[in-house]
Amino acid sequence: MSTKPKLYYFDGRGKMESIRWLLAAAGVEFEEEFLETREQYEKLLQGGSLLFQQVPMVEMDGMKMVQTRAILSYIAAKYNLYGKNLKERALIDMYVGGTDDLMGFILMFPFLSAEDKEKQRALIIQKATSRYFPVYEQVLKDHGQDFLVGNNFSWADVHLLEAILMVEEKKSDVLSGFPQLQAFKARISSIPAIKKFLEPGSQRKPVPDDKYVETVRRVLRMYYDVKAN
C-alpha cells in the first residue's frame, strides 16, 4: 500500500497551492509539513532533499521532487490529466503556461507595500481582462466543448479555475464580460473532487495574510522589499 504524497512548504498558498489543487482534482489525499522555522528549512537543505535549495518539495512515489512545473507535470501525467496525445499535451502546456504568467502577478502581491499593492491590483485586472481571459473565452467559444482540451477534464482546466478565483479575489465581477468563462467556472467548480476542495475545512489555503508573509520572509531570510512590475 503506497503512502500519501507529502508536501513540504509554508502554511499558505505560494507555488505549492497549484500542486494542492491538482492533487485534489485527481482525488489524491496528501499530507503536509509546514515550514515555520529557519531550522526546518536548513535541515532539508543539509539532508539533500532540496535539489536546487528551494521549495516546494513533494515526497511521492519514492522521489523527492522539486521544481513546481516538474511536480505538476508528473501528477498530471500519473492521473490522466495531461491529454490523450502529444498534440493535446502541447495545448495543455500552452494554456497552463499562460495561466502561470497571470498567476505570477498575483503570487508576489502579498509581499508588496500598500502603495504597490494598489498598482499591482490594477495590473492584475488589466492583464487578466485584456491578455489572458480573452484567450480562454475564445477557445471555449470556438470548440463549444465543456473543457479546454479534447473535451476531457485536464490540468489546464484545474489551473484556469484556480487563476479565475484568484483574480476574483481582486475584483469580484472580473468575469462580467466573459460568459464562456462564467459557465466554465460553474462547470468545473461542480466536479465532485473540485467541489470538495472548495468547501470549508479542505486543504485549500486562504488569501495570504501578514503572518504568512512574515513566516516566508523569516524562513527564507527575505530582508528586501519586493517591487511591483
Side-chain angles (χ1 to χ4, degrees):
M1 182 177 179
S2 61
T3 58
K4 297 177 183 178
K6 188 170 183 180
L7 283 50
Y8 295 80
Y9 201 66
F10 306 98
D11 187 8
R13 290 183 183 177
K15 290 189 174 183
M16 185 65 87
E17 189 70 355
S18 292
I19 297 168
R20 297 183 185 107
W21 266 89
L22 196 57
L23 286 169
V28 178
E29 295 183 357
F30 56 89
E31 300 174 346
E32 300 189 74
E33 180 171 316
F34 298 127
L35 301 182
E36 298 175 344
T37 66
R38 179 72 185 181
E39 289 71 28
Q40 285 177 286
Y41 178 65
E42 289 180 346
K43 184 177 180 181
L44 291 175
L45 288 174
Q46 292 163 6
S49 296
L50 305 183
L51 192 61
F52 300 107
Q53 302 179 27
Q54 60 192 25
V55 288
M57 192 267 281
V58 173
E59 200 166 5
M60 181 177 183
D61 295 342
M63 297 183 290
K64 292 181 178 180
M65 294 187 288
V66 296
Q67 292 296 326
T68 307
R69 186 60 181 260
I71 297 167
L72 288 166
S73 296
Y74 180 82
I75 294 167
K78 180 179 174 71
Y79 295 105
N80 300 315
L81 295 169
Y82 212 173
K84 299 186 297 293
N85 51 51
L86 283 175
K87 182 178 179 180
E88 289 189 359
R89 181 168 292 195
L91 289 171
I92 290 169
D93 282 339
M94 286 195 298
Y95 297 152
V96 167
T99 308
D100 263 343
D101 291 344
L102 175 58
M103 285 181 173
F105 294 106
I106 304 172
L107 288 176
M108 65 182 293
F109 187 85
F111 298 91
L112 300 174
S113 67
E115 180 182 355
D116 282 340
K117 280 182 178 179
E118 290 310 306
K119 296 176 183 177
Q120 192 73 356
R121 188 189 309 275
L123 180 64
I124 290 165
I125 295 165
Q126 186 267 322
K127 293 290 187 183
T129 56
S130 67
R131 178 180 293 185
Y132 298 102
F133 287 174
V135 171
Y136 304 116
E137 179 78 7
Q138 194 63 47
V139 168
L140 292 166
K141 183 177 180 181
D142 286 348
H143 65 40
Q145 298 173 337
D146 289 345
F147 306 106
L148 286 171
V149 179
N151 204 27
N152 285 296
F153 182 50
S154 76
W155 173 20
D157 301 306
V158 180
H159 217 49
L160 179 55
L161 178 61
E162 181 188 0
I164 287 172
L165 297 181
M166 289 169 74
V167 178
E168 284 186 330
E169 289 169 351
K170 303 293 180 273
K171 188 176 189 293
S172 60
D173 64 347
V174 72
L175 290 186
S176 60
F178 301 97
Q180 296 290 335
L181 287 180
Q182 291 177 41
F184 171 87
K185 174 190 168 185
R187 282 196 304 274
I188 305 303
S189 297
S190 67
I191 293 172
I194 299 291
K195 184 178 180 180
K196 181 179 179 181
F197 189 62
L198 292 173
E199 291 174 349
S202 79
Q203 287 170 290
R204 183 187 179 210
K205 305 307 176 193
V207 176
D209 58 14
D210 291 342
K211 180 181 178 181
Y212 167 77
V213 170
E214 192 277 330
T215 300
V216 174
R217 287 186 181 276
R218 183 180 67 253
V219 172
L220 299 183
R221 293 181 176 168
M222 293 172 56
Y223 301 125
Y224 56 88
D225 291 329
V226 178
K227 299 296 183 183
N229 290 351

